[in-house]
Amino acid sequence: MSSGPAGHGARSTVRPNSETVRRTPLRTFLPTGDGISIDSVYEPGEVVYDASAPSARHPVFVIAHGFTGDVDRPHVRRVASAFARYGAVVTFSFRGHGRSGGHSTVGDREVLDLAAAVRWARSLGHARVATVGFSMGGSVVLRHAALHAGTVDAVVSVSAPARWYYRGTAPMRRLHWLVTRPEGRLVGRYGFRTRIHHREWDPVPLSPVEAVPKIAPTPLLIVHGDQDGYFPLDHPRMLAEAAGDHGELWLEPGMGHAEHAADDGLLARIGDWAVTRAG
């Protein structure tokens, strides 16, 4: 796999091809619409493709990690390996995370990062794209599907908030300290390899619950653990209510928060759901 330093603006050397799916891994930096370089990895997956119709049965999964994650974190790699049994996989580091450029805006401009990854997945020859996001990434896949209508074929949001500025749990109060205080941002940079933007949102972006009604008719799955220590069950229930008939809600008994809490069985069920619903 090729690689480059954070902030490097090189484009992928892969040329779009609607008739073949790349069968070797690739690592590159993708430029976003606002000029940030996003560290991204493509893996062809473990499925066997029909050479005459490589994307007819298996989608590409574009995975959006949670806050302080990145493409090289073990929990992100574990998720990628689980979905590789169902199709190709694109993983990437959000801005300000890992080797990607820029600074984290904690779910706002990260929509542009996901949009770049989805475009790349399409350019590699995949006819169907399923986005799967965890926590912050869960809010990003919802907002991306609403703001970039028709660019994905299925959306899965795991452990996502429904609304902004939630401070009702101790983990979320700690996160707000990390994001809003200068000393917290230092901890983020040196303790979590996450560079956080010092500016507050202006304007405040579309919230996840506001985004959900705009996703229809794209299939939507909302997954949440009943032991989530960050966002209690009113969050997924608000999202499901906003989704109406076009969304599904899975409340997982005993599950905690995001990638770390998503066991192999759950990831397998999500993979099955995406392959079925993505058309």
Side-chain angles (χ1 to χ4, degrees), residues 18-74:
S18 61
E19 298 180 353
T20 61
V21 171
R22 185 181 180 91
R23 296 178 182 174
T24 57
L26 173 69
R27 187 164 189 164
T28 192
F29 284 82
L30 303 175
T32 67
D34 61 347
I36 304 297
S37 295
I38 300 301
D39 186 14
S40 305
V41 176
Y42 171 80
E43 294 162 291
E46 301 172 9
V47 296
V48 177
Y49 293 97
D50 179 350
S52 65
S55 302
R57 293 171 50 219
H58 304 292
V60 55
F61 292 82
V62 181
I63 299 171
H65 64 74
F67 185 61
T68 74
D70 67 58
V71 73
D72 293 315
R73 299 280 192 184

Side-chain angles (χ1 to χ4, degrees), residues 252-274:
E252 296 296 308
M255 178 186 169
H257 186 68
E259 299 101 321
H260 294 284
D263 63 25
D264 292 344
L266 174 59
L267 295 175
R269 285 191 286 126
I270 291 172
D272 284 331
W273 183 92

Side-chain angles (χ1 to χ4, degrees), residues 76-219:
V76 176
R77 304 288 3 119
R78 182 179 67 85
V79 170
S81 295
F83 290 137
R85 300 183 180 96
Y86 298 88
V89 179
V90 169
T91 48
F92 64 96
S93 297
F94 279 120
R95 62 185 61 207
H97 291 72
R99 299 169 68 201
S100 290
H103 290 76
S104 175
T105 63
V106 200
D108 179 10
R109 300 191 70 81
E110 282 75 9
V111 168
L112 300 176
D113 308 345
L114 179 57
V118 168
R119 285 194 301 271
W120 190 42
R122 294 280 190 199
S123 79
L124 294 171
H126 293 281
R128 298 186 298 151
V129 176
T131 53
V132 185
F134 297 84
S135 192
M136 180 187 78
S139 73
V140 173
V141 299
L142 296 175
R143 297 182 58 248
H144 171 268
L147 297 171
H148 298 263
T151 61
V152 297
D153 302 287
V155 180
V156 183
S157 178
V158 183
S159 303
R163 55 193 185 274
W164 302 137
Y165 302 113
Y166 178 72
R167 292 179 172 85
T169 58
M172 284 306 297
R173 289 190 288 273
R174 289 193 294 269
L175 187 145
H176 278 274
W177 175 85
L178 194 74
V179 169
T180 62
R181 300 293 294 273
E183 58 269 35
R185 291 191 291 271
L186 283 174
V187 171
R189 175 183 287 269
Y190 296 108
F192 296 103
R193 295 190 304 181
T194 303
R195 303 174 308 280
I196 305 165
H197 209 294
H198 68 278
R199 294 193 185 96
E200 296 184 3
W201 288 337
D202 184 18
V204 175
L206 184 75
S207 72
V209 74
E210 293 169 328
V212 162
K214 303 176 185 297
I215 295 174
T218 302

